[in-house]
Amino acid sequence: MTSTTIAELPWWDLAEVADHDAAIFGPTAWTLGYYWSVKAQNGTIMLAARAASADDSDADSTASGEDATASAGELAGWIVMSGAGAEADVMTIATTEAARGQGIGRALLRAGIDWAKDRGAEVVHLEVDERNTAALEMYAAFGFEEWGRRPDYYPGAAGILMRLRIGD
């Protein structure tokens, strides 16, 4: 039996995330240097989901902190959020191939939205490749609405701009 823990991503796991990012997003992936730059910014958080066997960890899905337990288990996904004032952004979110279809993306997005609410955000923004139907369906299920498009934002595809009002 496995459990999933979501915790703040410690700096020592940035290279692992950047490697997975490159495998998932190819030419649009964030570099390790960019992850470091974002990690250093005020008003951002990086959360990672890790799958661990129940025998290996007694942590639950609300664990947090930058300690060795944040790196325990197999990386299943991550989200990077930024926030300032009444607005927050999903900067990136991904699940590894092995973790897809298990609710990891939903759990990460919920954690990111909760972080934004705790900071006083009233709206969360994101953009997504118009071809990413799984992500579009997840965002719609959360109540995100399309409000614009960026033509050719991704190689061969538009970026769909979406927002979720959380301050109501």
Side-chain angles (χ1 to χ4, degrees), residues 117-148:
K117 280 183 182 177
D118 290 347
R119 294 181 57 84
E122 296 174 7
V123 64
V124 177
H125 300 275
L126 60 81
E127 55 79 13
V128 59
D129 186 316
E130 67 184 345
R131 299 167 296 192
N132 191 339
T133 56
L136 287 164
E137 289 170 5
M138 179 179 71
Y139 299 142
F142 270 81
F144 281 85
E145 297 177 338
E146 179 178 342
W147 65 271

Side-chain angles (χ1 to χ4, degrees), residues 55-140:
D55 297 334
D56 295 338
S57 173
D58 57 15
D60 65 24
S61 64
T62 61
S64 64
E66 289 193 17
D67 58 21
T69 60
S71 297
E74 183 177 342
L75 182 67
W78 63 94
I79 188 170
V80 179
M81 299 288 298
S82 67
E87 301 201 4
D89 291 279
V90 177
M91 298 178 69
T92 192
I93 182 172
T95 55
T96 62
E97 186 72 33
R100 295 203 179 124
Q102 299 176 34
I104 304 296
R106 286 187 301 279
L108 286 163
L109 186 57
R110 170 56 45 213
I113 292 168
D114 289 347
W115 175 85
K117 280 183 182 177
D118 290 347
R119 294 181 57 84
E122 296 174 7
V123 64
V124 177
H125 300 275
L126 60 81
E127 55 79 13
V128 59
D129 186 316
E130 67 184 345
R131 299 167 296 192
N132 191 339
T133 56
L136 287 164
E137 289 170 5
M138 179 179 71
Y139 299 142

Side-chain angles (χ1 to χ4, degrees), residues 8-11 14 17-18 21 28-47 66 78-83 89-93 115 119:
E8 191 162 350
L9 180 71
W11 63 265
L14 290 177
V17 169
D21 197 297
T28 63
W30 287 13
T31 64
L32 178 57
Y34 191 72
Y35 271 104
W36 273 104
S37 295
V38 171
K39 182 89 170 146
Q41 293 175 8
N42 287 327
T44 62
I45 190 166
M46 296 179 173
L47 300 171
E66 289 193 17
W78 63 94
I79 188 170
V80 179
M81 299 288 298
S82 67
D89 291 279
V90 177
M91 298 178 69
T92 192
I93 182 172
W115 175 85
R119 294 181 57 84

Side-chain angles (χ1 to χ4, degrees), residues 3-5 16 20 48-53 71-77 96-99:
S3 64
T4 302
T5 301
E16 178 186 19
H20 280 280
R50 291 197 173 269
S53 125
S71 297
E74 183 177 342
L75 182 67
T96 62
E97 186 72 33

